[in-house]
Amino acid sequence: NAGVTQTPKFQVLKTGQSMTLQCAQDMNHNSMYWYRQDPGMGLRLIYYSASEGTTDKGEVPNGYNVSRLNKREFSLRLESAAPSQTSVYFCASSPQGTQFFGPGTRLTVL
Amino acid sequence: AQRVTQPEKLLSVFKGAPVELKCNYSYSGSPELFWYVQYSRQRLQLLLRHISRESIKGFTADLNKGETSFHLKKPFAQEEDSAMYYCALSSRYSGAGSYQLTFGKGTKLSVIP
């Protein structure tokens, strides 16, 4: 039982490049989330998915898109990366209430 | 709208001293509160959940609805307690089946040997 997994662990992009962050969970949770973590800002919700086939914007969705591919997988896409998107990205899943987090992706945009 | 406030960015204590990490919240409904811990460059891990009323790694937290607080306490700090601590409040998105976690900005605990 791996819990929540994320790939890649590290990524460096140039401004304007695109990439997709992958997240998968094997706990059969309905809800999945994407957060970014920045120093002094805590965790801020980017997008969430209450169930397979649904996605909704969180606090800071601009510049991102998501896909809930199936119940297990929830991906985050940066279409045209900007330096302001340099951050650590965490995926989480939840049955209800408690959320379980992945190990994070450390993204640097030059 | 819900809000979680952790007033201290950094808290330094000596090993063996008591620790109290403060958390205040504002929420119009019945809150469900959590403490998460993040050790250096690792994932967030659930430390405590108020409805469980349990003690994990010697930490406890009591929900005080009158003062809208959920402070985290430990009587004797250990060096391995050095980490980032986040208080979070759970609320249900209206019209959706998903629960939102609103996080405080976190308190970095440093335990001095």
Side-chain angles (χ1 to χ4, degrees):
Chain A
N1 192 340
V4 181
T5 57
Q6 292 182 236
T7 55
K9 290 186 178 174
F10 302 94
Q11 184 71 49
V12 178
L13 293 177
K14 293 181 180 177
T15 298
Q17 287 184 316
S18 62
M19 79 160 296
T20 300
L21 282 64
Q22 306 287 352
C23 174
Q25 53 95 7
D26 61 2
M27 296 177 283
N28 202 37
H29 291 163
N30 283 323
S31 300
M32 296 185 74
Y33 309 80
W34 276 105
Y35 293 90
R36 59 178 290 173
Q37 183 184 42
D38 302 290
M41 301 295 291
L43 276 85
R44 293 181 291 170
L45 183 64
I46 304 171
Y47 271 93
Y48 68 97
S49 170
S51 61
E52 185 179 351
T54 69
T55 60
D56 283 288
K57 294 178 180 179
E59 181 186 353
V60 288
N62 291 346
Y64 305 96
N65 285 300
V66 290
S67 295
R68 183 75 183 266
L69 304 169
N70 48 54
K71 193 170 186 179
R72 290 188 64 248
E73 298 171 289
F74 188 37
S75 62
L76 178 71
R77 183 161 178 83
L78 286 70
E79 290 291 351
S80 179
S84 61
Q85 294 178 304
T86 293
S87 188
V88 181
Y89 291 85
F90 287 99
C91 177
S93 72
S94 173
Q96 65 179 44
T98 305
Q99 291 184 17
F100 298 87
F101 286 81
T105 295
R106 193 168 293 270
L107 175 67
T108 301
V109 183
L110 302 175
Chain B
Q2 58 268 20
R3 187 168 64 238
V4 175
T5 303
Q6 294 179 250
E8 303 135 330
K9 285 187 180 179
L10 174 65
L11 182 65
S12 297
V13 300
F14 285 100
K15 178 182 174 181
V19 175
E20 184 179 49
L21 300 167
K22 291 184 167 51
C23 173
N24 290 90
Y25 67 91
S26 67
Y27 182 55
S28 56
S30 182
E32 185 175 2
L33 285 148
F34 303 82
W35 277 100
Y36 281 83
V37 60
Q38 185 182 30
Y39 300 103
S40 181
R41 294 190 166 231
Q42 295 186 24
R43 73 180 74 197
L44 276 79
Q45 303 172 39
L46 178 67
L47 183 62
L48 282 178
R49 181 175 184 182
H50 93 266
I51 60 173
S52 307
R53 299 189 64 80
E54 57 194 345
S55 174
I56 305 291
K57 299 184 179 183
F59 285 97
T60 59
D62 289 316
L63 178 62
N64 185 324
K65 290 187 178 181
E67 295 183 358
T68 60
S69 68
F70 188 56
H71 302 329
L72 184 68
K73 300 178 183 179
K74 185 171 183 177
F76 307 104
Q78 303 299 316
E79 289 179 65
E80 55 265 29
D81 297 328
S82 294
M84 196 75 175
Y85 291 81
Y86 291 98
C87 183
L89 182 154
S90 179
S91 61
R92 188 168 188 146
Y93 287 112
S94 61
S98 184
Y99 287 78
Q100 175 186 10
L101 273 186
T102 300
F103 286 88
K105 292 189 187 302
T107 298
K108 184 175 182 179
L109 175 64
S110 177
V111 180
I112 305 163

